[in-house]
């Protein structure tokens, strides 16, 4: 009995101890209430104690011999290879660009710019030239933006690109009205080159300085002539400078821009390639203009041919009774001319399209014509003003006298000529070229 009682007490104590380790969960159901027992978690057990049975040894770094062999470091050979290639490419492009700018006068850059714009314009028309353009408001808007692109290209490239634009403008009746308006702006004045470039052309063609060739002085030296280093007019191929020689003759010196001779081959080749591609892409007979334009551009850069044309025109006009005394062709001074320089007589005049100046009443002196009329001597520049300008404003030289006294004190006078008579003279001149002589000179007086 005693043993049985002790066993019962032990089991009761054991059950009571286990009950403390178990968690009881009661369901929240209103109808039934159940109890679920959860076994005791492991964290509730007492922690175990670990006893170090080995002898303590202090930390000692391993010897180099005991370490494994080091793995080879990463070299990034592919990255280094492509980095070198990019550097070589950038260096090569930089050298090529500098050579193109200083030795080829940007011929390659201008050609690349032309091909790029040609690709943009061709793609634009291929996508949008249809009744309802997906990327344009209308066909007119498509023509407008591409005409502006072309105009910007021609003005940026300059040189013969402006001449090409002028040549196309003469035949622009086949083009959309938006392009006709754009090409009409090709006849505006072009930027002029510096006097240093013009001086180099004179040195290369004659082997003399401008002072030696024309007998002028830039410091106002007595007994010497005068020459304006600032151009009076600038066009696509050349620019015109005024000069007064030591003997009193006033001349217009037409100097070809120095870069034209280098650019002409590149520009014509680029024009031919673009014209050929556009003819093939759009089935437009654009390439048919290439032979005519190429021939005209080559002749435009030859001032010996220009001088021959002027002298031939002067002989033809002198032999025609209806034009003799109505049309005057300036004299060309061959001893001061070359393939890139043309020196001709300076003529005071008014632009043909300046209608108001042509028709306003004459307010000059009685029975006296306009300056230089019928070979009248031109009044020389003021020596004091020449000295002041050459010393203080050499980059903006304007040495030629104004000679606008014929406009009167108010400055509102004109030549007092009839528009009908003026236009009749032009009609007679071009009619004679086409129907009598069979030889047309588009601008018989001067072409810069």
């Amino acid at each position: 009995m005693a043993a049985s009682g002790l066993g019962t007490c032990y089991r009761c104590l054991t059950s009571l101890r286990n009950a403390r380790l178990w968690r009881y969960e009661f369901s929240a159901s209103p109808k039934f209430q159940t109890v679920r027992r959860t076994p005791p978690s492991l964290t509730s057990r007492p922690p175990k104690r670990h006893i170090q049975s080995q002898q303590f040894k202090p930390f000692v770094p391993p010897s180099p011999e005991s370490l494994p062999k080091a793995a080879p470091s990463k070299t990034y050979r592919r990255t280094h290879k492509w980095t070198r290639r990019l550097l070589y490419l950038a260096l090569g492009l930089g050298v090529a660009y500098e050579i193109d700018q200083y030795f080829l006068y940007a011929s390659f850059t201008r050609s690349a710019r032309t091909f790029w714009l040609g690709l943009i314009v061709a793609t634009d028309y291929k996508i949008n030239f249809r009744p309802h353009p997906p990327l344009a408001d209308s066909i007119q808007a498509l023509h407008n933006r591409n005409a502006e692109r072309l105009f910007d290209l021609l003005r940026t490239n300059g040189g013969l690109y402006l001449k090409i634009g002028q040549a196309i403008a003469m035949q622009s009746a086949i083009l959309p009205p938006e392009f006709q308006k754009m090409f009409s702006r090709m006849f505006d004045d072009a930027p002029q080159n510096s006097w240093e470039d013009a001086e180099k052309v004179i040195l290369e063609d004659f082997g003399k300085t401008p002072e030696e060739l024309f007998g002028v002085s830039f410091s106002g030296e007595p007994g010497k002539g005068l020459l304006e280093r600032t151009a009076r007019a600038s066009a696509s191929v050349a620019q015109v400078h005024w000069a007064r020689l030591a003997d009193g003759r006033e001349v217009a010196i037409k100097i070809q821009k120095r870069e034209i001779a280098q650019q002409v081959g590149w520009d014509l080749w680029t024009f031919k390639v673009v014209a050929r591609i556009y003819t093939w892409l759009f089935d437009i007979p654009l390439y048919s203009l290439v032979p005519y334009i190429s021939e005209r551009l080559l002749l435009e850069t030859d001032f010996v041919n220009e001088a021959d044309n002027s002298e031939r025109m002067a002989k033809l006009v002198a032999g025609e009774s209806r034009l003799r005394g109505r049309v005057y062709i300036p004299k060309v001074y061959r001893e001061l001319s070359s393939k890139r320089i043309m020196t001709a007589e300076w003529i005071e005049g008014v632009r043909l399209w300046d209608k108001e100046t042509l028709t306003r009443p004459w307010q000059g002196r009685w029975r006296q014509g306009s300056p230089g009329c019928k070979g009248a001597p031109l009044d020389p520049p003021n020596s004091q003003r020449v000295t002041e300008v050459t010393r203080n404003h050499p980059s903006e030289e304007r040495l030629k006298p104004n000679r606008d006294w014929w406009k009167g004190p108010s400055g509102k006078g004109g030549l007092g000529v009839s528009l009908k008579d003026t236009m009749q003279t032009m009609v007679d001149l071009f009619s004679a070229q086409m129907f009598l002589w069979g030889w047309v000179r588009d601008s018989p007086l001067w072409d810069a």
Side-chain angles (χ1 to χ4, degrees), residues 86-271:
L86 290 176
L87 290 176
Y88 293 153
L89 178 62
L91 180 62
L93 290 176
V95 172
Y97 178 79
E98 293 298 326
I99 293 175
D100 181 55
Q101 292 293 317
Y102 292 100
F103 296 98
L104 301 178
Y105 297 98
S107 298
F108 182 76
T109 304
R110 294 156 78 245
S111 299
R113 190 184 296 125
T114 303
F115 287 131
W116 175 247
L117 182 74
L119 176 63
I120 292 175
V121 172
T123 305
D124 196 8
Y125 272 103
K126 275 293 185 182
I127 295 174
N128 297 301
F129 193 67
R130 57 194 67 197
H132 301 287
L135 301 178
D137 295 335
S138 62
I139 296 295
Q140 182 181 4
L142 176 66
H143 290 325
N144 273 328
R145 71 187 183 196
N146 285 294
E148 286 298 326
R149 287 169 177 167
L150 183 57
F151 177 79
D152 292 339
L153 172 73
L154 298 178
R155 294 290 293 185
T156 301
N157 283 352
L160 289 180
Y161 279 83
L162 292 177
K163 272 295 180 185
I164 292 174
Q166 293 171 3
I168 296 176
M170 297 295 185
Q171 312 292 331
S172 62
I174 63 173
L175 299 175
E178 294 77 15
F179 281 88
Q180 295 180 25
K181 294 178 183 177
M182 182 274 296
F183 279 114
S184 65
R185 295 152 60 189
M186 289 290 102
F187 298 95
D188 298 339
D189 286 345
Q192 62 176 272
N193 284 14
S194 64
W195 170 249
E196 287 74 16
D197 285 342
E199 190 175 18
K200 289 178 182 178
V201 174
I202 297 174
L203 282 170
E204 291 169 358
D205 279 25
F206 289 96
K208 299 179 180 180
T209 63
E211 296 94 324
E212 297 170 344
L213 179 63
F214 298 104
V216 298
S217 171
F218 295 119
S219 59
E221 183 180 346
K224 296 284 188 177
L226 302 172
L227 193 155
E228 289 183 347
R229 287 172 283 190
T230 303
R232 282 277 167 174
S234 179
S236 55
V237 172
Q239 57 193 42
V240 179
H241 295 259
W242 174 88
R244 185 180 178 93
L245 305 182
D247 57 7
R249 291 178 296 169
E250 292 194 4
V251 296
I253 307 173
K254 180 180 178 181
I255 305 175
Q256 187 177 119
K257 295 180 177 178
R258 192 163 179 254
E259 66 271 12
I260 294 297
Q262 184 67 44
Q263 292 174 348
V264 61
W266 282 87
D267 293 346
L268 290 179
W269 174 78
T270 304
F271 175 63

Side-chain angles (χ1 to χ4, degrees), residues 330-356:
K331 298 175 184 177
V332 177
Y333 300 107
R334 290 282 188 169
E335 69 276 11
L336 301 176
S337 301
S338 66
K339 189 173 182 180
R340 293 190 294 171
I341 298 171
M342 179 176 168
T343 305
E345 182 183 7
W346 180 274
I347 302 295
E348 295 283 344
V350 176
R351 295 178 185 270
L352 187 61
W353 54 85
D354 191 352
K355 178 181 175 181
E356 294 183 355

